[in-house]
Amino acid sequence: MREQGREQRGRLLILTALAGAEAGPSRFGLVTSRRVGIAVIRNLVRRRLRECVRVARPAVPDGWWIVISARPAAARATFAALRAEWVQLGRRAGCLAKLEEPA
């Protein structure tokens, strides 16, 4: 995945995306290492990232493998900041189409 995928780095997240890995729905992986913080903080970041992925799921074409790694700065970021960076990195990697903004 690391050798063949496209890696996009941001201040809060690192996104690695591989197109055409297999047929079928896209697959997502979330990585929050101990460098992000204690377990409570890591779980909070993971919950926020899962929600970002859930909302954007319809905008991701089938056949992608996407790994989102949280950087230590993600522990202090708001949900809106995480979501904005995920959308920006996804568009840059080419795995995220136009996304409807929430009302």
Side-chain angles (χ1 to χ4, degrees):
M1 172 86 182
R2 264 199 193 278
E3 293 88 28
Q4 298 172 351
R6 291 183 229 161
E7 185 174 276
Q8 300 296 323
R9 293 176 172 268
R11 193 177 64 78
L12 307 173
L13 305 171
I14 299 172
L15 184 135
T16 307
L18 178 61
E22 65 181 34
S26 294
R27 301 177 68 175
F28 293 86
L30 302 175
V31 178
T32 52
S33 70
R34 285 190 187 168
R35 291 179 15 182
V36 173
I38 61 174
V40 173
I41 301 298
R42 290 194 309 268
N43 289 332
L44 174 68
V45 171
R46 242 189 319 265
R47 281 193 307 271
R48 288 177 174 176
L49 289 175
R50 268 197 306 265
E51 179 63 13
C52 291
V53 168
R54 186 191 69 77
V55 169
R57 186 93 179 177
V60 178
D62 287 346
W64 284 85
W65 282 4
I66 300 169
V67 176
I68 304 169
S69 302
R71 296 181 118 180
R76 296 177 302 279
T78 64
F79 174 74
L82 283 173
R83 184 174 188 277
E85 183 148 314
W86 146 243
V87 169
Q88 177 188 19
L89 295 177
R91 285 189 183 143
R92 230 191 292 160
C95 64
L96 192 60
K98 185 72 175 157
L99 188 64
E100 296 289 325
E101 291 299 321

